Amino acid sequence: MTAITVETTDQKYLISIDRSLMDKPSFYAFFERLRLEALAHQIETNETDLMALSEEIKANWWAKNQAKITSQIASYNPPGS
């Protein structure tokens, strides 16, 4: 048996992966990558919109986590200080 086989039907690609090829976490990471690729092909956007979304996500993350991070930095005492 080959490690990876692909069959094509009228409506689907059927992919078989031998379990000895990768462990479960690696398989799920691979599968998640395929899922994200499929979702990316479904949206219609451009690089400018994606960069704006990226900046919005970073700004929202920073607003949510700034206090926690700055308090940890403020209370950090490096060894030997």
Side-chain angles (χ1 to χ4, degrees):
M1 177 176 165
T2 55
I4 300 174
T5 58
V6 178
E7 296 176 41
T8 304
T9 68
D10 289 340
Q11 300 295 319
K12 298 179 181 185
Y13 295 112
L14 303 173
I15 303 169
S16 296
I17 302 172
D18 191 302
R19 285 184 170 188
S20 66
L21 186 64
M22 63 178 69
D23 60 11
K24 198 174 195 177
S26 297
F27 170 75
Y28 283 118
F30 171 74
F31 183 76
E32 182 64 13
R33 171 67 184 196
L34 286 177
R35 189 182 75 78
L36 291 174
E37 284 287 331
L39 290 172
H41 286 286
Q42 292 176 8
I43 64 171
E44 292 188 21
T45 189
N46 59 43
E47 187 173 349
T48 302
D49 291 341
L50 292 175
M51 292 306 293
L53 178 59
S54 171
E55 292 303 318
E56 181 181 340
I57 289 168
K58 287 188 274 186
N60 289 341
W61 182 90
W62 181 246
K64 179 180 176 186
N65 294 289
Q66 180 179 7
K68 180 173 83 171
I69 291 171
T70 54
S71 70
Q72 288 176 350
I73 292 171
S75 66
Y76 177 68
N77 294 315
S81 59

